Amino acid sequence: MSKHITLDCTTRDEEKHAKIVQSQREYVRKIADVLDRGDSLDMLDDPKLAGEVAAAILRAWADNVSDKPKRKRGRPAYKLNPFNVAIEHELLKARKGMSDNAANENLAEKHDVSVEAIREAIKKKGADARSFLEFFEMPRKPAE
C-alpha cells in the first residue's frame, strides 16, 4: 500500500506558509476544474499526483464530516440556569400556591425542557434558592 499524500503545511514562517497554502489551493482548484469539465486527470502534468491529491482530499473530508447535525445559526442553544429555575420554582410555590409538581410542569413548559430537567435544576440549586429568598424575606401567598 502506498503512503498517503497530505496537504499539511508544517512551516512556522507566515509568509512561506501563505505561499504554500496558496499554491496548494490553486493546484486543488485546477484538479477540481478538470473534474468539473469531465476531463481525465491525464490532462495534468502529473496525473498520478493529481489522483493522490484528490484521494487525500476525499479522505480528509470523509474523516472530518461531523456525526452531529449543524446547529442553527443565530442565538446559541438555550441553556437552563439551575439557580434561576430554582428561584422561579420557589416563587411559584410561594406566590401562586402551586404544588411542587405543578410548578415543575409550569417551568418545563415555560423553558421548553423536560420536567426531569427542571427537577435536576432544583436538586442542584433548590437549597441555595430558598436561602437566597429567605434572606430577602420572600413574601408568602396571603392566607385565604
Side-chain angles (χ1 to χ4, degrees):
M1 186 167 165
S2 67
K3 183 177 177 183
H4 294 300
I5 190 168
T6 62
L7 295 175
D8 293 335
C9 183
T10 57
T11 183
R12 291 185 185 265
D13 181 298
E14 287 186 28
E15 281 184 43
K16 189 174 180 183
H17 177 84
K19 287 178 183 177
I20 292 170
V21 169
Q22 182 60 34
S23 174
Q24 288 177 347
R25 284 183 182 141
E26 288 172 6
Y27 186 67
V28 169
R29 286 188 176 116
K30 187 176 180 181
I31 294 170
D33 290 342
V34 167
L35 295 173
D36 277 344
R37 289 191 308 264
D39 294 336
S40 169
L41 293 179
D42 291 334
M43 294 185 63
L44 299 171
D45 293 336
D46 189 346
K48 184 173 182 341
L49 175 64
E52 290 174 359
V53 169
I57 292 167
L58 292 171
R59 279 189 201 90
W61 177 81
D63 290 345
N64 290 303
V65 173
S66 176
D67 293 333
K68 298 178 182 178
K70 286 185 178 180
R71 283 195 6 219
K72 292 181 182 177
R73 290 183 183 221
R75 291 176 45 186
Y78 178 73
K79 186 172 179 178
L80 197 63
N81 182 317
F83 184 72
N84 290 347
V85 168
I87 293 278
E88 284 183 277
H89 186 265
E90 290 299 316
L91 291 173
L92 286 173
K93 290 183 347 180
R95 292 189 179 160
K96 304 267 184 186
M98 289 187 180
S99 68
D100 275 339
N101 288 337
N104 290 346
E105 289 171 9
N106 179 290
L107 291 170
E109 185 176 331
K110 176 182 177 184
H111 292 283
D112 195 26
V113 296
S114 69
V115 172
E116 185 56 35
I118 298 298
R119 284 189 191 116
E120 286 297 315
I122 294 165
K123 188 175 169 182
K124 286 180 187 175
K125 294 294 182 176
D128 294 340
R130 282 186 291 282
S131 296
F132 177 82
L133 292 171
E134 285 170 6
F135 177 79
F136 290 103
E137 298 178 339
M138 172 183 65
R140 297 284 175 191
K141 182 180 177 199
E144 294 177 12

